[in-house]
Amino acid sequence: MPDAFWQPPSILLAVDLVILTLRSSKLHVLLVERGIEPYKGEHALPGGFLNNVDEGILAAAQRELREEANLDASQLHLEQLGAYGDPGRDPRGRIVSVAYLAIAPGLPEPEAGADAAGASWKPVEEIDSGRLELAFDHRWILADGIERARTKLERSSLATAFCNEPFTIAELQQVYEAVWGVELDPRNFYRKVQGVPGFIIPVGAERRTTKGRPARLFRRGQQTVLHPPLSRPNPLTTSEAN
Amino acid sequence: MPDAFWQPPSILLAVDLVILTLRSSKLHVLLVERGIEPYKGEHALPGGFLNNVDEGILAAAQRELREEANLDASQLHLEQLGAYGDPGRDPRGRIVSVAYLAIAPGLPEPEAGADAAGASWKPVEEIDSGRLELAFDHRWILADGIERARTKLERSSLATAFCNEPFTIAELQQVYEAVWGVELDPRNFYRKVQGVPGFIIPVGAERRTTKGRPARLFRRGQQTVLHPPLSRPNPLTTSEAN
DNA sequence: AGAATAGTGTCTCTAAGACAGTATCAA
DNA sequence: TTGATACTGTCTTAGAGACACTATTCT
């Protein structure tokens, strides 16, 4: 029990970014190679400390997005994941990190030529298969970010944040398949996506150059909450797993 | 851009608790009356600073749950909501608060006879109708907590955390009705709830004393993710609202 | 018997999933 | 024409919602 002379402890606050995108139909995350100790040379989520005591947490996340990933926060989906503050998560001392989830469309440049050298997109599969290790507790932050994206695809229009406008329905389907890690029937996907009012809007001009029949082009609709939802295929229940 | 002599700013870290329960079929939240400035005399969420630099954030939340609400964290659902750290949210300086959502079954005692005098259950309706104002940004934290509970009722067994065991299906229905703020058809509710494998388990002994036919009693099942989900009645879409 | 609460059955409609078939391009 | 991709239609089944009905208690 704190007495009259007790003072609350001071803590260092950082932000970390889980930036997801789709590259060649696979879910990727932006990682940086750490230039300083601890974990020097290892891969980590981009992030950093608050600049000063007056900087907002979201503002810090937006700044890091620009500095470390060369991305413009105003064009991206950005939401808070939560605070990660286990004592001992950072060997330098008590550091609490607020993690943010950012969703970016496929970028033209392979990676950002930003301040932080060594930023690169990595397939998330390499991390949760254990082939690629992350510094600190970033593996768990990433897992939480992916899980957040997975569930939000069902009832929100988050999937369109992975796409450059205009996009085709097949591109949108690739988003769902990559994030959920499943295959979807294109025919049913077409019907369902088109049936959600305000999800995607056909842009007058159609077609695009590939092989085969040209696809209609769409842009994001105004609706952010999807009804009916695009439900994820049944996860196995514990009783069904055998 | 930080130079070589730059040091990250130190910050004070607090935890705040959104503790929800059901009292006479209405959703209630536990509030304390602040005994010190700022906002002295006003209502606020229970919470407080980290005790020391080695205390975990979750541990601090569990401690506050015990100190301020006299509740045993090991018996309760407790999950993190997120970090609230806008500069200016606390007039004492830069204080970042990590909010937690706790779900408690209806307690036998009307309120906790704990250290913090003046703790009391308030209907959440009084707050978001604006009749009761909260200190700091606690109104928004509470709103986020309620929203989290609402969405988690659909796909998780969170609803049972509001119930003392054993419980009846009608009691469980009241949870859904109070949190969602809707009326549900009891007959359809029975069918759906019973149809979710592992959600609720009939405890051998049935019946209970009321007026009318005795109700069968249930306890929580082992399944935490519900399939099929209990879907919330359609929110009006923007196009439907007129 | 009547009121009250608990629980079942049945019908309709929407939406999910499976899958056949058609359309429009390039080579 | 063939191959490839885009898109449409149709059937079956699961689940949502509406609502009539039966069951078991108390007074």
Side-chain angles (χ1 to χ4, degrees):
Chain A
M1 188 64 202
D3 63 19
F5 302 105
W6 172 87
Q7 291 284 332
S10 287
I11 267 160
L12 296 185
L13 196 71
V15 295
D16 284 313
L17 296 171
V18 176
I19 312 174
L20 299 179
T21 197
L22 223 63
R23 299 177 65 77
S24 47
S25 303
K26 299 279 184 194
L27 189 60
H28 284 61
V29 61
L30 190 75
L31 298 181
V32 297
E33 202 170 318
R34 287 186 57 80
I36 58 169
E37 294 290 349
Y39 296 100
K40 181 169 179 174
E42 298 194 31
H43 290 280
L45 297 174
F49 291 104
L50 254 57
N51 249 351
N52 60 69
V53 80
D54 291 322
E55 187 179 40
I57 307 180
L58 177 60
Q62 291 167 334
R63 176 179 51 76
E64 293 290 344
L65 205 49
R66 184 169 21 81
E67 290 180 1
E68 299 229 45
N70 204 23
L71 293 171
D72 180 0
S74 67
Q75 310 294 323
L76 256 55
H77 176 90
L78 185 62
E79 67 177 273
Q80 193 194 109
L81 278 174
Y84 295 80
D86 285 350
R89 67 179 286 278
D90 192 314
R92 290 169 289 187
R94 189 65 193 278
I95 297 176
V96 171
S97 179
V98 177
Y100 279 81
L101 173 66
I103 307 291
L107 286 326
E109 341 86 81
E111 58 189 68
D115 290 336
S120 61
W121 295 106
K122 296 288 182 190
V124 299
E125 195 277 331
E126 289 193 15
I127 291 100
D128 56 38
S129 76
R131 240 177 310 144
L132 180 59
E133 305 229 330
L134 297 190
F136 307 107
D137 51 2
H138 288 185
R139 177 175 177 172
W140 312 115
I141 299 178
L142 171 61
D144 289 347
I146 294 171
E147 184 52 35
R148 175 79 62 96
R150 283 190 175 136
T151 52
K152 286 199 86 172
L153 282 200
E154 295 197 72
R155 313 190 82 90
S156 84
S157 56
L158 180 63
T160 60
F162 282 96
C163 297
N164 284 303
E165 288 185 306
F167 50 84
T168 68
I169 295 193
E171 288 167 351
L172 194 60
Q173 182 181 344
Q174 287 180 359
V175 172
Y176 279 90
E177 293 186 329
V179 177
W180 284 347
V182 296
E183 292 211 333
L184 300 175
D185 185 304
R187 299 161 293 189
N188 292 334
F189 188 80
Y190 272 73
R191 186 168 30 81
K192 282 166 78 165
V193 162
Q194 300 258 39
V196 181
F199 183 19
I200 57 173
I201 305 188
V203 47
E206 303 94 1
R207 85 171 41 207
R208 182 178 270 190
T209 123
T210 33
K211 178 166 287 189
R213 175 176 176 175
R216 274 176 270 182
L217 292 173
F218 296 83
R219 57 181 178 83
R220 301 179 241 280
Q222 64 293 339
Q223 196 77 18
T224 56
V225 42
L226 305 187
H227 193 84
L230 277 82
S231 49
R232 194 167 10 168
N234 296 356
L236 292 194
T237 65
T238 49
S239 47
E240 278 166 346
N242 56 354
Chain B
M1 188 66 200
D3 63 20
F5 302 106
W6 172 87
Q7 289 285 331
S10 287
I11 268 161
L12 298 184
L13 196 71
V15 295
D16 284 314
L17 296 172
V18 177
I19 312 173
L20 299 179
T21 198
L22 225 63
R23 299 178 64 78
S24 48
S25 302
K26 299 277 184 196
L27 189 60
H28 285 62
V29 60
L30 190 76
L31 298 180
V32 297
E33 202 170 318
R34 287 186 56 80
I36 57 167
E37 292 292 348
Y39 296 100
K40 180 170 179 174
E42 297 193 31
H43 290 280
L45 297 175
F49 291 104
L50 254 59
N51 249 351
N52 59 70
V53 81
D54 290 324
E55 187 180 39
I57 308 181
L58 178 60
Q62 292 166 334
R63 176 179 51 77
E64 293 290 344
L65 204 51
R66 186 168 20 82
E67 290 179 2
E68 298 228 44
N70 205 24
L71 292 171
D72 180 359
S74 67
Q75 310 294 325
L76 256 54
H77 177 90
L78 185 62
E79 66 177 274
Q80 194 195 107
L81 278 175
Y84 295 79
D86 285 350
R89 65 179 288 276
D90 192 313
R92 289 167 291 186
R94 188 66 193 278
I95 296 175
V96 171
S97 180
V98 178
Y100 280 81
L101 172 65
I103 307 292
L107 285 324
E109 340 86 82
E111 59 189 71
D115 290 337
S120 60
W121 295 106
K122 297 286 181 189
V124 298
E125 195 278 330
E126 288 192 16
I127 291 100
D128 57 36
S129 75
R131 240 177 309 144
L132 179 59
E133 305 228 332
L134 297 190
F136 307 105
D137 52 3
H138 287 185
R139 177 176 177 172
W140 312 115
I141 299 177
L142 172 61
D144 289 347
I146 295 170
E147 185 53 34
R148 175 77 64 95
R150 282 190 176 137
T151 53
K152 287 199 83 170
L153 282 199
E154 296 197 70
R155 311 189 83 89
S156 84
S157 57
L158 180 64
T160 60
F162 282 96
C163 297
N164 284 303
E165 287 184 307
F167 50 84
T168 68
I169 294 193
E171 287 167 352
L172 194 59
Q173 182 180 345
Q174 287 180 359
V175 172
Y176 279 90
E177 293 186 328
V179 176
W180 283 348
V182 297
E183 291 211 333
L184 300 175
D185 185 307
R187 299 160 293 187
N188 291 334
F189 188 80
Y190 271 74
R191 186 168 31 83
K192 283 167 77 167
V193 162
Q194 300 259 38
V196 181
F199 184 19
I200 56 173
I201 304 188
V203 46
E206 304 92 3
R207 87 168 45 202
R208 184 180 265 189
T209 122
T210 33
K211 178 167 287 190
R213 177 177 175 173
R216 275 176 268 182
L217 292 173
F218 296 83
R219 57 181 178 82
R220 300 179 243 280
Q222 65 293 342
Q223 195 77 17
T224 57
V225 42
L226 305 186
H227 192 83
L230 277 82
S231 49
R232 194 170 5 172
N234 296 357
L236 292 194
T237 66
T238 49
S239 47
E240 278 167 344
N242 55 355

